[in-house]
PDB file of all heavy atoms in Angstrom:
ATOM      1  N   ARG A   4       2.870  -7.671   0.586  1.00 90.00           N
ATOM      2  CA  ARG A   4       3.538  -8.924   0.972  1.00 90.00           C
ATOM      3  C   ARG A   4       4.423  -8.721   2.193  1.00 90.00           C
ATOM      4  O   ARG A   4       4.603  -9.633   3.000  1.00 90.00           O
ATOM      5  CB  ARG A   4       4.312  -9.485  -0.211  1.00 90.00           C
ATOM      6  CG  ARG A   4       3.341  -9.991  -1.301  1.00 90.00           C
ATOM      7  CD  ARG A   4       3.996 -10.180  -2.624  1.00 90.00           C
ATOM      8  NE  ARG A   4       4.362  -8.881  -3.195  1.00 90.00           N
ATOM      9  CZ  ARG A   4       4.699  -8.702  -4.453  1.00 90.00           C
ATOM     10  NH1 ARG A   4       4.745  -9.725  -5.277  1.00 90.00           N
ATOM     11  NH2 ARG A   4       5.003  -7.513  -4.906  1.00 90.00           N
ATOM     12  N   LEU A  31       5.053 -21.584  -2.708  1.00 97.00           N
ATOM     13  CA  LEU A  31       4.292 -20.420  -3.154  1.00 97.00           C
ATOM     14  C   LEU A  31       4.327 -19.328  -2.090  1.00 97.00           C
ATOM     15  O   LEU A  31       4.474 -18.142  -2.408  1.00 97.00           O
ATOM     16  CB  LEU A  31       2.848 -20.797  -3.484  1.00 97.00           C
ATOM     17  CG  LEU A  31       1.962 -19.664  -3.994  1.00 97.00           C
ATOM     18  CD1 LEU A  31       2.566 -18.987  -5.224  1.00 97.00           C
ATOM     19  CD2 LEU A  31       0.575 -20.180  -4.295  1.00 97.00           C
ATOM     20  N   VAL A  32       4.224 -19.696  -0.835  1.00 96.00           N
ATOM     21  CA  VAL A  32       4.310 -18.710   0.251  1.00 96.00           C
ATOM     22  C   VAL A  32       5.671 -18.012   0.192  1.00 96.00           C
ATOM     23  O   VAL A  32       5.762 -16.785   0.313  1.00 96.00           O
ATOM     24  CB  VAL A  32       4.081 -19.371   1.628  1.00 96.00           C
ATOM     25  CG1 VAL A  32       4.252 -18.350   2.746  1.00 96.00           C
ATOM     26  CG2 VAL A  32       2.698 -20.005   1.693  1.00 96.00           C
ATOM     27  N   SER A  33       6.714 -18.770  -0.029  1.00 96.00           N
ATOM     28  CA  SER A  33       8.049 -18.185  -0.174  1.00 96.00           C
ATOM     29  C   SER A  33       8.100 -17.211  -1.349  1.00 96.00           C
ATOM     30  O   SER A  33       8.683 -16.129  -1.247  1.00 96.00           O
ATOM     31  CB  SER A  33       9.088 -19.290  -0.374  1.00 96.00           C
ATOM     32  OG  SER A  33      10.356 -18.740  -0.646  1.00 96.00           O
ATOM     33  N   HIS A  34       7.454 -17.577  -2.435  1.00 96.00           N
ATOM     34  CA  HIS A  34       7.433 -16.702  -3.614  1.00 96.00           C
ATOM     35  C   HIS A  34       6.699 -15.397  -3.334  1.00 96.00           C
ATOM     36  O   HIS A  34       7.064 -14.354  -3.876  1.00 96.00           O
ATOM     37  CB  HIS A  34       6.820 -17.419  -4.807  1.00 96.00           C
ATOM     38  CG  HIS A  34       7.738 -18.434  -5.409  1.00 96.00           C
ATOM     39  ND1 HIS A  34       7.413 -19.141  -6.540  1.00 96.00           N
ATOM     40  CD2 HIS A  34       8.958 -18.888  -5.042  1.00 96.00           C
ATOM     41  CE1 HIS A  34       8.399 -19.961  -6.854  1.00 96.00           C
ATOM     42  NE2 HIS A  34       9.343 -19.826  -5.940  1.00 96.00           N
ATOM     43  N   TRP A  35       5.657 -15.443  -2.514  1.00 95.00           N
ATOM     44  CA  TRP A  35       4.973 -14.195  -2.140  1.00 95.00           C
ATOM     45  C   TRP A  35       5.945 -13.278  -1.419  1.00 95.00           C
ATOM     46  O   TRP A  35       6.012 -12.092  -1.706  1.00 95.00           O
ATOM     47  CB  TRP A  35       3.792 -14.461  -1.211  1.00 95.00           C
ATOM     48  CG  TRP A  35       2.665 -15.232  -1.787  1.00 95.00           C
ATOM     49  CD1 TRP A  35       2.319 -15.349  -3.103  1.00 95.00           C
ATOM     50  CD2 TRP A  35       1.718 -16.006  -1.061  1.00 95.00           C
ATOM     51  NE1 TRP A  35       1.213 -16.147  -3.232  1.00 95.00           N
ATOM     52  CE2 TRP A  35       0.824 -16.562  -1.988  1.00 95.00           C
ATOM     53  CE3 TRP A  35       1.537 -16.283   0.279  1.00 95.00           C
ATOM     54  CZ2 TRP A  35      -0.242 -17.378  -1.610  1.00 95.00           C
ATOM     55  CZ3 TRP A  35       0.484 -17.096   0.661  1.00 95.00           C
ATOM     56  CH2 TRP A  35      -0.396 -17.631  -0.273  1.00 95.00           C
ATOM     57  N   GLU A  36       6.670 -13.847  -0.481  1.00 93.00           N
ATOM     58  CA  GLU A  36       7.553 -13.037   0.368  1.00 93.00           C
ATOM     59  C   GLU A  36       8.804 -12.550  -0.361  1.00 93.00           C
ATOM     60  O   GLU A  36       9.438 -11.605   0.091  1.00 93.00           O
ATOM     61  CB  GLU A  36       7.930 -13.810   1.629  1.00 93.00           C
ATOM     62  CG  GLU A  36       6.739 -14.018   2.541  1.00 93.00           C
ATOM     63  CD  GLU A  36       7.110 -14.634   3.878  1.00 93.00           C
ATOM     64  OE1 GLU A  36       8.305 -14.856   4.161  1.00 93.00           O
ATOM     65  OE2 GLU A  36       6.177 -14.896   4.670  1.00 93.00           O
ATOM     66  N   THR A  37       9.145 -13.181  -1.452  1.00 93.00           N
ATOM     67  CA  THR A  37      10.322 -12.746  -2.221  1.00 93.00           C
ATOM     68  C   THR A  37       9.913 -12.011  -3.501  1.00 93.00           C
ATOM     69  O   THR A  37      10.749 -11.810  -4.395  1.00 93.00           O
ATOM     70  CB  THR A  37      11.228 -13.950  -2.571  1.00 93.00           C
ATOM     71  OG1 THR A  37      10.473 -14.918  -3.292  1.00 93.00           O
ATOM     72  CG2 THR A  37      11.824 -14.560  -1.316  1.00 93.00           C
ATOM     73  N   TYR A  38       8.648 -11.626  -3.583  1.00 92.00           N
ATOM     74  CA  TYR A  38       8.109 -10.821  -4.686  1.00 92.00           C
ATOM     75  C   TYR A  38       8.120 -11.537  -6.036  1.00 92.00           C
ATOM     76  O   TYR A  38       8.074 -10.907  -7.080  1.00 92.00           O
ATOM     77  CB  TYR A  38       8.854  -9.491  -4.830  1.00 92.00           C
ATOM     78  CG  TYR A  38       8.824  -8.655  -3.585  1.00 92.00           C
ATOM     79  CD1 TYR A  38       9.913  -8.629  -2.735  1.00 92.00           C
ATOM     80  CD2 TYR A  38       7.708  -7.902  -3.259  1.00 92.00           C
ATOM     81  CE1 TYR A  38       9.891  -7.864  -1.582  1.00 92.00           C
ATOM     82  CE2 TYR A  38       7.675  -7.133  -2.109  1.00 92.00           C
ATOM     83  CZ  TYR A  38       8.775  -7.119  -1.279  1.00 92.00           C
ATOM     84  OH  TYR A  38       8.761  -6.367  -0.145  1.00 92.00           O
ATOM     85  N   THR A  46      -6.711 -15.657  -1.493  1.00 94.00           N
ATOM     86  CA  THR A  46      -5.658 -15.785  -0.486  1.00 94.00           C
ATOM     87  C   THR A  46      -5.697 -14.619   0.483  1.00 94.00           C
ATOM     88  O   THR A  46      -5.592 -14.804   1.696  1.00 94.00           O
ATOM     89  CB  THR A  46      -4.278 -15.858  -1.170  1.00 94.00           C
ATOM     90  OG1 THR A  46      -4.245 -17.007  -2.003  1.00 94.00           O
ATOM     91  CG2 THR A  46      -3.169 -15.933  -0.142  1.00 94.00           C
TER      92      THR A  46
END
Side-chain angles (χ1 to χ4, degrees):
R4 291 163 291 195
L31 181 56
V32 177
S33 174
H34 285 184
W35 295 336
E36 292 187 3
T37 57
Y38 302 100
T46 299

